[in-house]
């Protein structure tokens, strides 16, 4: 994955989610193909576990959750539960850090109609949890706001 290309993104809605609702518990599952560069985004009330490759675990999950009077886009990526050694976990961590910009552009762009009904969500914080048994890769990091990624995704390449 490198630059975001909207033509390589496919989006599907898992009922009862639509382009415009709901906000509460709206969940995103982003997967990709290394071979084709295609990105797949599922938006629904649950994650699309059928899209997840259990061998690679390179998906990005995120959901809207209310927190302290505002909504937060809370995401997570899987680094290691112990099946990957520390060195390979470090590589996974670094790759996820590098590719999260593209993943968040795809997520926000793919659901851009949603923001026409909820424009205030464009300024909500995005936090991504890196899930790992190794403490140095188990982190919660701030990734800006959806507005940042939508603006970047709409810029010509």
């Amino acid at each position: 994955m490198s630059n975001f290309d909207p033509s390589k993104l496919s989006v599907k809605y898992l009922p009862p989610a639509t382009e415009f609702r709901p906000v509460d518990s709206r969940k995103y599952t982003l997967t990709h193909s290394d071979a084709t560069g295609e990105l797949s985004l599922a938006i629904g009330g649950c994650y699309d576990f059928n899209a997840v490759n259990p061998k690679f675990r390179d998906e990005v999950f995120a959901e809207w959750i209310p927190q302290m009077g505002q909504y937060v886009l809370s995401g997570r990526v899987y680094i290691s539960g112990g099946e990957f050694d520390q060195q390979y976990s470090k590589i996974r961590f670094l790759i996820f850090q590098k590719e999260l910009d593209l993943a968040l552009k795809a997520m926000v762009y793919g659901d851009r109609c949603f923001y026409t009904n909820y424009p205030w969500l464009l300024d909500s914080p995005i936090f991504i949890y890196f899930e790992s048994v190794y403490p140095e890769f188990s982190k919660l990091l701030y990734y800006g706001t959806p507005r940042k990624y939508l603006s970047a995704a709409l810029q010509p390449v």
Side-chain angles (χ1 to χ4, degrees):
M1 297 195 303
S2 55
N3 290 331
F4 176 66
D5 178 354
S7 70
K8 297 225 178 217
L9 176 65
S10 65
V11 180
K12 72 176 176 180
Y13 291 90
L14 307 174
T18 69
E19 289 180 332
F20 305 108
R21 58 183 201 84
V23 177
D24 286 339
S25 299
R26 188 176 190 85
K27 292 179 173 55
Y28 302 92
T29 306
L30 184 74
T31 57
H32 76 281
S33 165
D34 284 330
T36 66
E38 298 285 324
L39 296 163
S40 297
L41 177 64
I43 303 167
C46 58
Y47 294 116
D48 186 6
F49 291 109
N50 292 329
V52 173
N53 183 327
K55 181 179 177 186
F56 296 115
R57 294 298 315 268
D58 54 5
E59 73 282 347
V60 179
F61 292 126
E63 74 175 298
W64 285 105
I65 57 170
Q67 192 172 77
M68 295 173 40
Q70 69 174 347
Y71 279 94
V72 172
L73 187 56
S74 176
R76 72 177 202 265
V77 295
Y78 183 80
I79 303 299
S80 178
E83 72 278 25
F84 303 122
D85 67 18
Q86 196 163 1
Q87 185 58 36
Y88 189 62
S89 295
K90 179 180 182 178
I91 292 167
R92 286 176 57 82
F93 178 77
L94 294 172
I95 289 171
F96 269 118
Q97 279 194 309
K98 179 179 178 273
E99 299 295 347
L100 261 168
D101 188 63
L102 174 67
L104 290 169
K105 282 181 197 172
M107 234 178 244
V108 174
Y109 179 86
D111 206 18
R112 65 195 176 282
C113 291
F114 175 70
Y115 296 103
T116 61
N117 278 0
Y118 307 99
W120 61 88
L121 292 178
L122 285 168
D123 297 312
S124 295
I126 300 171
F127 289 96
I128 305 294
Y129 175 60
F130 291 77
E131 189 178 336
S132 178
V133 296
Y134 301 105
E136 63 268 36
F137 311 125
S138 180
K139 298 180 183 288
L140 180 67
L141 300 176
Y142 173 70
Y143 272 86
T145 66
R147 184 179 307 279
K148 167 186 168 183
Y149 295 99
L150 184 59
S151 296
L154 293 172
Q155 296 296 317
V157 182

